[in-house]
Amino acid sequence: MSEVELYPGRVSPLGLGTIPLGDLLEYSGLELLQRIIDGKYPAPPISFRLNFTLTEVSEGRAVFRGMPSERHLNPLGGVHGGWAATLLDSALACAVQTLLEKGEAYTTAEFKVNFTRPITPKTGEVVCEGKIVHKGRTLAVSEATLKDAQGKLLAFGTETCSIFPASNLAAR
Ligand SMILES: CC(C)(COP(=O)(O)OP(=O)(O)OC[C@H]1O[C@@H](n2cnc3c(N)ncnc32)[C@H](O)[C@@H]1OP(=O)(O)O)[C@@H](O)C(=O)NCCC(=O)NCCSC(=O)Cc1ccccc1
């Protein structure tokens, strides 16, 4: 697939798609996420629908950026809470993924969000930073903040992820 603009200034060179499942056996979680940032995989389709993208990863940390727009409004004219929640779930989950070994997969088991300030199409680009709090063998807990360019807190959240063998994904 050809290049897709996720939102102005953020482009996915390989368009939209997902990571081949076989690559979960070949690369660690951190390596897979870095490969997304490096444009070696297409961006996940939801990145295009909701205008956000992964921009930084390191051990125990993942940062997304996103642009709220008119297409994310709820009927009352604010950006729907699901938009902020999606960015938070992404940063919370990927912070966990940065610590996974080759052959490990994971999923969100539960997460909690607080919306501290309204988001509007005028808010501009936001930054969502997820960090690991605890990593066990089968469960990991993370925390994340969503801030505007001035550093004002728009929302924050915590999450529990379940960790399991990547071979379990194939059965889905
Ligand atoms: C109202 C409250 C929840 C609580 O406020 P409090 O604890 O009493 O705190 P406080 O009043 O001190 O305000 C704190 C800061 O917020 C600012 N601000 C407040 N109100 C306004 C305003 N009207 N306009 C502009 N700014 C406003 C205020 O200036 C201050 O900022 P500052 O420190 O000066 O820079 C607030 O945290 C909030 O709006 N959170 C976001 C909630 C949210 O966006 N949820 C998701 C969307 S809902 C959804 O999608 C569901 C749905 C689906 C389908 C259909 C329908 C619905």
Side-chain angles (χ1 to χ4, degrees):
M1 192 177 177
S2 53
E3 184 175 290
V4 164
E5 187 181 62
L6 302 172
Y7 61 87
R10 302 281 176 187
V11 164
S12 171
L14 295 182
L16 306 178
T18 55
I19 298 173
L21 283 186
D23 283 18
L24 271 68
L25 304 176
E26 221 176 298
Y27 298 104
S28 70
L30 183 57
E31 288 168 338
L32 288 168
L33 293 172
Q34 190 60 55
R35 286 172 67 80
I36 292 177
I37 294 172
D38 294 343
K40 291 179 177 155
Y41 295 126
I46 195 164
S47 286
F48 176 68
R49 292 279 167 219
L50 295 188
N51 306 141
F52 71 99
T53 187
L54 178 64
T55 57
E56 291 170 53
V57 280
S58 56
E59 276 192 23
R61 179 174 176 268
V63 179
F64 283 77
R65 287 180 166 77
M67 186 70 81
S69 81
E70 306 286 335
R71 60 193 274 178
H72 308 131
L73 295 180
N74 66 30
L76 298 181
V79 168
H80 198 289
W83 187 80
T86 301
L87 268 74
L88 284 165
D89 187 22
S90 303
L92 288 159
C94 288
V96 171
Q97 189 175 347
T98 65
L99 299 183
L100 298 188
E101 307 285 342
K102 287 179 195 176
E104 285 187 316
Y106 73 115
T107 194
T108 304
E110 63 83 34
F111 81 111
K112 163 82 172 71
V113 184
N114 278 77
F115 302 102
T116 49
R117 285 191 175 85
I119 300 174
T120 77
K122 290 184 182 156
T123 299
E125 193 178 50
V126 300
V127 182
C128 191
E129 179 181 24
K131 288 182 184 169
I132 200 81
V133 174
H134 163 80
K135 160 110 178 17
R137 280 170 300 149
T138 62
L139 291 180
V141 179
S142 52
E143 61 186 11
T145 57
L146 182 68
K147 294 179 178 174
D148 68 14
Q150 287 70 48
K152 280 203 168 186
L153 186 69
L154 304 170
F156 64 95
T158 55
E159 176 159 306
T160 309
C161 288
S162 165
I163 300 168
F164 49 85
S167 54
N168 289 11
L169 280 178
R172 293 177 176 202

